Amino acid sequence: MNRRVRKAVLPVAGLGTRVLPGAKTTPKNMLNVFDRPILSYVIEEGRAAGIEHFVFIVGRGQGAIEDYFDAAPEIENALEAKGKADILAEVRRDLPKPGQMSFVRQMAPLGLGHAVWCARDIIGDEPFAVMLPDMLMAAEPAALAQAVSAHDQVGGNIIVVEPAPEGEAHKYGIVDLESQTGRLNRMRGMVEKPAPGTEPSNLFISGRYVLQPEIFPLLEKQGKGAGGEIQLTDAMAELMKVQPFHALEYEGVTYDCGDKIGLLRANVAFALRHPSLGADARAAISGLL
Ligand code: G1P
């Protein structure tokens, strides 16, 4: 029986360069997608995958994230007094139980590998998930739940992948498969931001992982890789020498909210799927075309 995945690491410290100026005073993952922040969707996905503890790797000026996941008595009391139970429920929907979230300062922007390494003490000695919150994934079952099921099935390390748009593979981490049958395939390599034309496949690492804790000592020793940053992909490539890795081509749609057009697409897509406002959203959007 493979050990249960209970904790997820969410690296959120990035500057949000591609979504400035919106991300100047609001942490980029707190930007709204229709009626709630990006992180609200990511937490919902994590909970659907059985995650019980979320570890945020934050930077300076990101206190809004902690505040969002804390009680807000002045707002909640006012809504209660006015009898606005529906809005109150929305305000409270993402609240954890006390003790179910941790916030760790990354202290220096040294790369994704360094961000994940910052969670080592809180994760301890158990398998864990990594969720890159820029990437919103609309999927049923939830994208991370698909990865956790794959982990239940084959154990080891799971990387969620999907085909990169034509000509864009060099912007991502790319996996190399032993052979391809179905959606879950054993890997034989991976490379972070390969030079154009040298990509081993068109399957890119799209932002959900299940990793074994043996990644941490490797991250500690990991030197700088692509872009001069400590790359998670490089440490995973090291771990693959001693542990199996499978790539899971998940079923769903990814929206890159770290990009203005990706964020716009997510806004439209999640507005259209909204349980009570979807029809009004559709009418409003069609009226613009
Ligand atoms: C990171 C990862 C990369 C992955 C990408 C997905 O890169 O290092 O492997 O494909 O996220 O968005 P970044 O976008 O931080 O350059």
Side-chain angles (χ1 to χ4, degrees), residues 222-260:
Q222 190 60 54
K224 290 178 182 171
E229 297 189 344
I230 299 173
Q231 295 290 354
L232 178 60
T233 305
D234 294 341
M236 294 192 300
E238 274 302 302
L239 184 57
M240 199 168 53
K241 293 177 182 164
V242 292
Q243 282 188 5
F245 272 75
H246 284 80
L248 171 69
E249 209 178 317
Y250 91 110
E251 290 185 72
V253 182
T254 301
Y255 302 93
D256 181 357
C257 296
D259 169 86
K260 287 183 182 177

Side-chain angles (χ1 to χ4, degrees), residues 112 132 135 171-173 192-193 204-207 209 231 233:
L112 177 60
L132 306 188
M135 303 302 247
K171 295 184 184 169
Y172 298 101
E192 184 64 25
K193 305 204 172 62
F204 81 96
I205 298 173
S206 58
Y209 315 69
Q231 295 290 354
T233 305

Side-chain angles (χ1 to χ4, degrees), residues 135-151:
M135 303 302 247
L136 269 197
M137 296 184 177
E140 191 52 51
L144 186 64
Q146 295 181 35
V148 167
S149 301
H151 176 259

